[in-house]
């Protein structure tokens, strides 16, 4: 999966901030436990990631650099889908073709 600059920078930031990473891992687990469709879960998470980006930008130099010319809304949906796959529950196995129920 390809992440844009904003997504990659945010993901890299978490690699150096274990408390932040644990927070987002717990958030993913919490959201994926709900019975919402996967696309809706990713969109909900994406909105929360953007709020997090806005909140952390003034305090984190690597995030601040991205918004130097003014903060413009950028999609973080690929990052949301990536961390759901990475930290969420394993996907349910598919039934083999021709398998009996």
């Amino acid at each position: 999966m390809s992440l844009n600059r904003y997504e990659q920078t945010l993901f890299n930031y978490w690699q150096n901030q274990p408390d932040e990473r644990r927070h987002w891992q717990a958030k993913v687990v919490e959201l994926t436990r709900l019975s919402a469709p996967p696309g809706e879960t990713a969109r909900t998470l994406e909105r929360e990631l953007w709020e997090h980006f806005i909140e952390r930008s003034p305090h984190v130099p690597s995030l601040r650099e991205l918004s130097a010319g003014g903060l413009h809304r950028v999609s973080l949906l690929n990052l949301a889908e990536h961390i759901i796959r990475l930290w969420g529950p394993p996907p349910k196995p598919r039934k083999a073709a021709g398998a009996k129920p």
Side-chain angles (χ1 to χ4, degrees), residues 24 28 31 41-49 80 83-84:
W24 286 100
V28 167
L31 286 173
T41 301
R43 286 187 296 279
T44 298
L45 184 58
E46 191 271 345
R47 287 187 294 274
E48 292 187 30
L49 288 169
I83 62 176
I84 287 171

Side-chain angles (χ1 to χ4, degrees), residues 1-35:
M1 172 170 289
S2 178
L3 302 177
N4 65 39
R5 289 183 313 141
Y6 288 71
E7 293 167 323
Q8 189 64 57
T9 303
L10 192 54
F11 189 77
N12 291 345
Y13 166 68
W14 294 337
Q15 300 310 307
N16 298 320
Q17 301 296 324
D19 289 340
E20 295 264 359
R21 185 175 59 246
R22 278 191 294 273
H23 167 79
W24 286 100
Q25 287 171 332
K27 178 75 73 176
V28 167
V29 168
E30 175 187 330
L31 286 173
T32 55
R33 282 188 183 156
L34 303 173
S35 61

Side-chain angles (χ1 to χ4, degrees), residues 21-93:
R21 185 175 59 246
R22 278 191 294 273
H23 167 79
W24 286 100
Q25 287 171 332
K27 178 75 73 176
V28 167
V29 168
E30 175 187 330
L31 286 173
T32 55
R33 282 188 183 156
L34 303 173
S35 61
E40 185 177 321
T41 301
R43 286 187 296 279
T44 298
L45 184 58
E46 191 271 345
R47 287 187 294 274
E48 292 187 30
L49 288 169
W50 182 250
E51 290 172 7
H52 172 65
F53 184 88
I54 291 171
E55 187 270 324
R56 297 304 301 150
S57 289
H59 310 288
V60 178
S62 59
L63 300 178
R64 188 171 46 241
E65 289 173 8
L66 292 173
S67 57
L71 199 55
H72 302 285
R73 181 68 163 94
V74 174
S75 174
L76 302 176
L77 190 58
N78 284 345
L79 178 59
E81 292 172 347
H82 177 64
I83 62 176
I84 287 171
R85 287 188 194 110
L86 191 63
W87 300 329
K92 295 177 183 175

